[in-house]
Amino acid sequence: MKAAFVVEKEKVEIRDIEIPKIKNDEVLIKVKTVGVCGSDLHLFKGTHPFRKPPAILGHEVAGDIIEVGSNVKNLKIGDKVTVEPHIGCGECEFCKQDLINLCISKKTPGTPSWNGTFAEYFNAPEKVVHKINDKISYEMATLVEPLAVAVHAINRITVKEKDTLVILGSGTIGLLTLVAARESGYRSIICTDTQEFNLQMALKQGAILAINPLKEDVVQKVKEFTNGRGADVALIMADAKNIVDQAAAVVRKRGEVGMVSMITESIPVYPYSFVFNELTLFGAMTYETNDFIKAVEMINSGLDLSDFITQKIILEGSQKALNVLNEKKENVVKVIVEI
Ligand SMILES: NC(=O)c1ccc[n+]([C@@H]2O[C@H](COP(=O)([O-])OP(=O)(O)OC[C@H]3O[C@@H](n4cnc5c(N)ncnc54)[C@H](O)[C@@H]3O)[C@@H](O)[C@H]2O)c1
Ligand SMILES: [Zn+2]
Ligand SMILES: [Zn+2]
């Protein structure tokens, strides 16, 4: 089968590899669509914390089951599915609390023990495979995974008030977080981005204010909107060097800052603002299975996110798919690769 590998920094190659052989508890999926994710971009650019070339791209996937292992109970050939792309060891203290995202030896796609999803076929154990309603498109099903990241980020917030939420960075994850926050009852959601297209998209999806930090003072605008008080929570979904300080400056005393962006280098932070204003800083790593199930339910109930799909490219064009997201010369939110 064909699979798209990152073979060296910023170079993608289609290689012919064997179709995975499934184990008794696994299914084989004929892949229909996969999504290009920010973390694929990190692999592509050589900045991913643990995925290194040569590696198959992808972890967002939708397709049909074409083979089931002998121990598979609740799935059958022909089911339309998506995959929660991590497998816990089942033994560690985090797996025992259903926190696969924190498992110290979890398996993820695109590593030596599990192929990435940019391939014609993809295997996965039944426990991480989720059914998608027949009437939902493969593209929408592919968005379950990044939506689950957004649902998890919102679920990690402990501040009870839902008056004002600031989302710093309105790429795929930021925009999906806007949707998840809107659905969970946040009243005023303020988004930032350096791209006008993304800001327009945020407004269309219900943001009350969309701020371009290249043109306006984000802190001042948020303070004005909140009558000087500051927002309850700021979520970091962009990689700019000043982003933690900006987040700290837009939240109120005893507010929270959530770090979702994968910034894998040191950046400057002025820690005293966390002390003086008693702020909480938390991280959000992918999702728990409950977040993933919630995202599946949202998509299965017909949540329409088709606006977010800005490009569709075939597998052979995977190099272009990564370039589009990397260069951002054209308006782009989610690039879908069709297999
Ligand atoms: N924690 C997790 O589990 C998890 C999961 C997926 C992605 N991520 C990370 O989240 C981040 C966002 O992912 P994405 O897929 O949305 O990426 P993306 O590139 O689509 O979005 C980032 C957005 O930030 C904008 N931006 C750049 N500079 C900015 C600034 N100074 N202020 C505001 N916006 C700015 C860009 O224009 C872009 O729209 C990435 O770092 C990604 O690796 C984390
Ligand atoms: Zn993803
Ligand atoms: Zn574990």
Side-chain angles (χ1 to χ4, degrees), residues 42 169 171-173 192-194 237 239-240 260-262 284 286 328:
H42 284 300
T172 313
I173 298 294
T192 73
D193 207 282
T194 48
M237 315 284 190
D239 299 357
V260 181
S261 204
M262 294 198 182
T286 60
K328 288 215 162 69

Side-chain angles (χ1 to χ4, degrees), residues 8 46 71 75 85 125 135 137 155 162 184 228 239 296 304 318 321 337:
E8 59 188 72
N71 292 343
L75 296 168
K135 62 176 191 303
S137 69
N155 284 342
K162 291 190 171 184
S184 87
D239 299 357
V296 169
D304 182 15
S318 295
V337 172

Side-chain angles (χ1 to χ4, degrees), residues 35-40 59-60 85 145-146 149 173 287 334:
V36 186
C37 174
S39 55
D40 292 310
H59 58 270
E60 301 172 2
E145 194 274 348
V149 172
I173 298 294
Y287 27 74
K334 181 54 98 181

